[in-house]
Amino acid sequence: MAWFKRESGELDTSGVKTVRTEGLWVKCESCRQIIWKKDLAENLNVCPKCEKHFRIDARSRLALLLDEDEYETFDAGLSSTDPLKFVDLKPYSMRLRQAQRDTGLKDAVINARGKLQGRPVIASVMEYAFIGGSMGTVVGEMITRAIERACDTRTPLIIVSASGGARMMEGVISLMQLAKISSSLARLNKAKVPYVSVLTDPTTGGVTASFAMLGDLNIAEPGALIGFAGPRVIEQTIRQKLPPGFQTSEFLLAHGMLDAVVHRKQLKAYIARALEFMDTPAVGHQPSAVS
Ligand SMILES: [Zn+2]
């Protein structure tokens, strides 16, 4: 009975197709729904079920904000020299090389010049995947250069923050960036060039304590963690329990710390409208010829 007995000993599996499913799906931490990654990407990385805004990288952010994905980057060649020769679990120089390999960037920010709904802008966008978007000398220098360029060319500035704060591996030199950036923003303010600060998840520490909160307009994405110190440190210091939702965009808006919380889908149009508003002279205002 040949049909009953297998005649060749080996089972031929060469024609069997393997279907790869791993990595195609992602679980939303907020509503616990399983979402197809392609659906998530098509929805600007916002959960289609509960509107949770997933983190996006700096390049996707620039593509989202600037017209037709056309922009020119500048100051991309700067990289940290590891001034303190810092070593924690592993040497800082090694961490830097790893982050540079993973992200294709020299440090945690991209400076770009492009157009937002036809209006020229300078954008500085932080990359959280690069050592937690931490602000060391290079981030500080690049953001300062973006501000100076905005000031010299009288081009509106947009900074998109995504950062754990100052970069501890560069110690006090990274803290000095707070003062450096804040003083060039003061110059930008004096020159009356608009600055829109966009705070995304997360914006904490020295970044919140300096440029992220110094915009002419400070806007955040929904549900973003925004704060200075972490909640546990604050609770231990003030010896009080913190209210629910503390350090989210919505809480900060309700307490007067932000101007608006804007959905990712409306962000570009919102900024365009704001820049147009800031560019329009007040009714009846005549620029004075006498200085
Ligand atoms: Zn969700």
Side-chain angles (χ1 to χ4, degrees):
M1 296 195 49
W3 57 269
F4 188 71
K5 268 190 176 172
R6 186 181 294 152
E7 286 181 337
S8 66
E10 284 301 306
L11 190 67
D12 180 16
T13 56
S14 59
V16 177
K17 283 186 185 152
T18 50
V19 181
R20 207 174 136 262
T21 53
E22 203 181 318
L24 291 176
W25 301 86
V26 64
K27 189 175 182 181
C28 172
E29 286 166 26
S30 176
C31 68
R32 307 203 161 267
Q33 278 280 348
I34 309 289
I35 318 160
W36 195 23
K37 267 194 182 165
K38 198 163 165 270
D39 282 348
L40 189 66
E42 279 171 5
N43 203 35
L44 306 178
N45 280 290
V46 175
C47 174
K49 306 272 174 1
C50 74
E51 305 288 315
K52 178 191 161 59
H53 285 50
F54 285 67
R55 288 175 189 163
I56 58 172
D57 62 28
R59 289 187 185 89
S60 312
R61 178 68 65 182
L62 281 167
L64 194 93
L65 287 180
L66 301 180
D67 294 350
E68 289 149 24
D69 203 2
E70 271 183 28
Y71 54 86
E72 180 196 341
T73 59
F74 54 91
D75 300 327
L78 300 178
S79 74
S80 174
T81 54
D82 186 11
L84 305 179
K85 307 284 170 247
F86 194 86
V87 180
D88 47 76
L89 292 174
K90 55 182 170 179
Y92 173 46
S93 56
M94 203 185 275
R95 277 186 201 281
L96 275 173
R97 277 199 300 277
Q98 180 70 43
Q100 286 168 347
R101 263 199 307 274
D102 292 349
T103 60
L105 300 174
K106 293 274 189 195
D107 216 301
V109 69
I110 301 180
N111 277 355
R113 183 175 35 208
K115 286 188 174 173
L116 190 148
Q117 291 199 354
R119 185 182 295 271
V121 289
I122 294 211
S124 229
V125 179
M126 301 189 81
E127 174 58 71
Y128 189 73
F130 196 108
I131 318 185
S134 51
M135 174 173 59
T137 37
V138 172
V139 170
E141 178 63 19
M142 282 181 70
I143 290 180
T144 305
R145 288 188 188 190
I147 299 166
E148 284 172 351
R149 196 176 284 243
C151 199
D152 294 346
T153 58
R154 302 200 56 80
T155 311
L157 172 74
I158 301 163
I159 301 181
V160 183
S161 303
S163 173
R167 187 171 296 169
M168 290 301 113
M169 300 83 146
E170 293 188 17
V172 74
I173 307 168
S174 95
L175 293 178
M176 283 159 63
Q177 307 309 314
L178 277 78
K180 184 165 95 179
I181 297 173
S182 301
S183 58
S184 40
L185 278 176
R187 245 188 78 213
L188 189 75
N189 184 47
K190 224 171 176 180
K192 297 192 179 353
V193 176
Y195 162 38
V196 176
S197 173
V198 181
L199 297 89
T200 70
D201 183 58
T203 299
T204 58
V207 168
T208 313
S210 59
F211 60 88
M213 284 294 185
L214 292 176
D216 294 309
L217 193 66
N218 297 325
I219 54 182
E221 285 196 330
L225 169 75
I226 300 165
F228 179 62
R232 211 172 44 203
V233 175
I234 302 173
E235 280 183 342
Q236 282 167 4
T237 309
I238 63 170
R239 292 171 192 282
Q240 274 183 38
K241 196 93 191 114
L242 293 167
F246 180 72
Q247 292 185 326
T248 59
S249 316
E250 292 74 11
F251 187 93
L252 266 67
L253 178 69
H255 291 80
M257 298 284 286
L258 289 173
D259 296 306
V261 174
V262 184
H263 194 288
R264 193 171 286 165
K265 279 183 192 161
Q266 279 109 41
L267 195 59
K268 183 175 176 175
Y270 189 95
I271 297 174
R273 214 166 55 241
L275 292 179
E276 194 189 339
F277 174 78
M278 289 192 244
D279 200 27
T280 311
V283 179
H285 171 77
Q286 293 293 324
S288 170
V290 185
S291 64

